[in-house]
Amino acid sequence: MWAWIHRFGSPRYFYAFAGKLLPWLAVPCIILFAVGLYLGLVVAPGDYEQGESYRIIYVHVPSAWMSMFVYVLMAVFATIGLIWRVKLAEVMATASAPIGASFTFLALVTGSIWGKPMWGTWWVWDARLTSELILLFLYFGFMALQSAIGDRQTAWRAASILLLVGVVNIPIIHYSVEWWYTLHQPATIAKFGKPSIHVSMLIPLLVMAVAFKLFYFTVLMSRVRAEILQRERRTNWVRELVSGGEL
Amino acid sequence: MRNVPSDSGKAGVRMDSIYLPLVRRDLTLATRTPSQWINPLLFFLIAVSLFPLGVGPDPNRLSEIAAGVIWVAALLATMLSQDSLFRTDFEDGCLEQMLTSPHPVILIVAAKVSAHWLLTGLPLILLSPLLAVLMGLSFEGWRALFFTLTLGTPILSLLGALGAALVVSVKRGGVLLSLLVLPLCIPVLIFSTTAVQTASVGLPIEGHLSLLGALLALSVTLAPVAIAGALSVTGGGN
């Protein structure tokens, strides 16, 4: 068991493994995106109150889910990296950060595009939007810290501590913002309160959620492969790979 | 580490073995370079007094935004002073000596943070009546400001120390420090400012203060562990 984990965690083995895994992630991802978008944009009925513009939900909600999922996953990688000193965990978290930040940014942008017709303004200090904005700052902090410290080992371990502190803080931030919001702005956007969603809208949403997750892992695997190659560029196996013309 | 007797670690974990001497040392150092802790306070005063000039002298409007202005200025002033918390010790090698000494790192961290709070948090609290007058806060508003500053500034010191520990080896890490720590301070800001606003309209604020107290308890217990972990990663050697 341990031998297997060690072999799995070695960059060389994982490079090959990720390469084999890539098509199995990418192809279902594309299929699910096609199905989900077709169901969501064509098949699903228009919303009673919001008309057609609610359809941005099929991008907005999955990216908001992913933004939180990726951060928590990065914290898991940070824990693994800090406790067992697995090199691969560092590569995974480092490669995840820009993807997670992009999901967060996408959620903010789509939220504000959605907000324009619904609330009549691009930005509302809504509790969820605000927490999402803070999450984006946390991603930026992680990336900034990691790029600021020269020594890579130190940078990674400092950034992992920041990730863990962030994960402890996220629920606190979320609830404080939610509470602040209810105190400051009573029910200006009550119609955003989620009605129980109809099945014909729920299914495309779930399909899109799975597609987003597969998309994340597809991008993650290719980024991890690139990162491994860059980090291991002085090792023999990478040189053989390059001179053998496999790249 | 001049003030710490070299054999004190053998006696085991005793508060007075490292905690009090280190606090005393940091305070002594601060009295010799007063600008280090006075400048953030001046920044705080100036930043707050810019707001009446910016938004107009109407007392009603000022008392409405007073809590937010004072607290944001307090946050920024704390961040400004945090950068040097571990930096000078790191640069002259004291920090490495402290980390390799037999004393528990958590106690060292606690001493550094306490000294920092005595030099930045406490003066802010003492200045709060002046600010309340400047910003047209009522007596109830000032009392709430006093309580929230008392409970909140130690949290800011702890969170800022975490940031300072993470960026200690980064040249000119001050901006980075703010980038890392300010998002984490948002709950403190929210609970404190709503408490002051609630008090200004005459409603009870015990709930807000309890939440702030809970945050303080949480950060006092957890943050030193994280700071010690961060220091052992970043603080060892140049």
Side-chain angles (χ1 to χ4, degrees):
Chain A
M1 178 69 185
W2 273 110
W4 181 81
I5 286 176
H6 271 282
R7 201 162 64 100
F8 193 73
S10 86
R12 180 182 182 178
Y13 179 83
F14 195 82
Y15 177 82
F17 173 78
K20 277 188 215 126
L21 200 63
L22 256 181
W24 294 98
L25 292 168
V27 173
C29 170
I30 294 168
I31 294 171
L32 281 179
F33 260 125
V35 172
L37 284 176
Y38 176 73
L39 285 179
L41 299 184
V42 181
V43 177
D47 185 66
Y48 169 66
E49 274 178 1
Q50 310 192 355
E52 300 297 326
S53 62
Y54 89 95
R55 292 185 196 276
I56 203 168
I57 199 178
Y58 298 120
V59 180
H60 175 69
V61 172
S63 48
W65 282 343
M66 286 310 292
S67 67
M68 288 175 258
F69 173 79
V70 173
Y71 197 88
V72 173
L73 200 63
M74 279 164 65
V76 173
F77 289 139
T79 318
I80 295 173
L82 279 178
I83 297 176
W84 290 288
R85 304 282 156 87
V86 181
K87 229 195 235 172
L88 192 63
E90 178 189 347
V91 181
M92 296 280 248
T94 313
S96 290
I99 316 175
S102 312
F103 278 129
T104 318
F105 184 69
L106 188 65
L108 280 170
V109 168
T110 51
S112 113
I113 294 174
W114 194 6
K116 186 61 184 158
M118 288 305 110
W119 308 331
T121 167
W122 292 106
W123 182 263
V124 175
W125 285 98
D126 164 60
R128 273 181 253 184
L129 255 74
T130 313
S131 338
E132 198 73 6
L133 183 66
I134 297 166
L135 185 62
L136 186 64
F137 294 156
L138 291 178
Y139 274 114
F140 285 157
F142 173 81
M143 292 191 278
L145 181 63
Q146 217 179 9
S147 62
I149 300 179
D151 177 54
R152 189 155 65 198
Q153 197 68 33
T154 311
W156 155 244
R157 291 176 60 199
S160 343
I161 291 172
L162 184 70
L163 266 180
L164 293 182
V165 174
V167 153
V168 173
N169 252 280
I170 280 181
I172 301 176
I173 294 175
H174 180 77
Y175 282 105
S176 67
V177 168
E178 199 140 287
W179 199 48
W180 161 77
Y181 170 70
T182 50
L183 277 178
H184 276 245
Q185 309 184 346
T188 44
I189 44 156
K191 68 174 136 182
F192 192 64
K194 242 186 197 166
S196 53
I197 190 165
H198 192 263
V199 178
S200 58
M201 299 176 184
L202 182 65
I203 289 174
L205 186 60
L206 293 179
V207 173
M208 285 302 279
V210 178
F212 265 70
K213 203 151 278 181
L214 284 173
F215 175 75
Y216 163 66
F217 283 112
T218 311
V219 178
L220 178 66
M221 285 307 145
S222 47
R223 283 186 62 92
V224 163
R225 271 164 66 92
E227 187 87 24
I228 288 177
L229 280 186
Q230 210 213 342
R231 283 169 189 233
E232 308 276 311
R233 62 185 179 279
R234 304 206 195 289
T235 59
N236 280 330
W237 69 270
V238 172
R239 287 181 186 184
E240 276 163 28
L241 214 60
V242 174
S243 60
E246 285 181 51
L247 279 175
Chain B
M1 295 301 289
R2 284 154 298 203
N3 296 340
V4 181
S6 58
D7 60 341
S8 57
K10 290 171 194 155
V13 184
R14 281 179 51 216
M15 279 298 265
D16 56 352
S17 67
I18 179 84
Y19 180 83
L20 289 178
L22 198 50
V23 171
R24 209 175 301 130
R25 163 190 180 267
D26 272 19
L27 294 182
T28 315
L29 283 177
T31 55
R32 299 203 177 135
T33 48
S35 65
Q36 181 205 333
W37 58 279
I38 289 182
N39 285 356
L41 285 179
L42 289 177
F43 167 83
F44 175 65
L45 263 183
I46 294 171
V48 170
S49 51
L50 282 181
F51 276 86
L53 302 173
V55 300
D58 176 22
N60 289 329
R61 195 193 293 166
L62 281 184
S63 61
E64 239 172 63
I65 60 166
V69 168
I70 293 172
W71 259 98
V72 170
L75 253 180
L76 296 179
T78 316
M79 292 307 120
L80 210 61
S81 59
Q82 285 285 7
D83 189 35
S84 58
L85 180 62
F86 298 115
R87 170 80 30 95
T88 40
D89 285 341
F90 176 73
E91 277 166 359
D92 62 16
C94 278
L95 189 65
E96 206 177 345
Q97 293 298 318
M98 288 184 212
L99 293 178
T100 48
S101 75
H103 301 290
V105 184
I106 290 186
L107 269 188
I108 297 170
V109 165
K112 298 284 295 178
V113 176
S114 313
H116 176 265
W117 180 79
L118 287 173
L119 289 167
T120 56
L122 194 59
L124 287 188
I125 298 170
L126 298 178
L127 275 178
S128 66
L130 179 64
L131 296 167
V133 173
L134 278 180
M135 298 299 287
L137 267 182
S138 62
F139 175 73
E140 283 72 28
W142 167 72
R143 203 175 50 180
L145 182 68
F146 174 80
F147 284 134
T148 55
L149 280 175
T150 311
L151 288 172
T153 44
I155 309 179
L156 301 188
S157 284
L158 284 162
L159 288 174
L162 175 69
L166 287 174
V167 304
V168 70
S169 63
V170 180
K171 295 258 180 294
R172 284 187 288 282
V175 181
L176 180 61
L177 168 75
S178 307
L179 181 62
L180 301 184
V181 175
L182 286 179
L184 303 178
C185 295
I186 287 170
V188 182
L189 180 70
I190 288 175
F191 293 135
S192 307
T193 50
T194 46
V196 178
Q197 280 158 3
T198 315
S200 303
V201 296
L203 293 171
I205 55 163
E206 281 79 10
H208 300 73
L209 293 182
S210 310
L211 277 165
L212 266 180
L215 284 183
L216 177 61
L218 195 69
S219 42
V220 163
T221 44
L222 290 183
V225 183
I227 300 168
L231 273 186
S232 59
V233 169
T234 55
N238 286 292

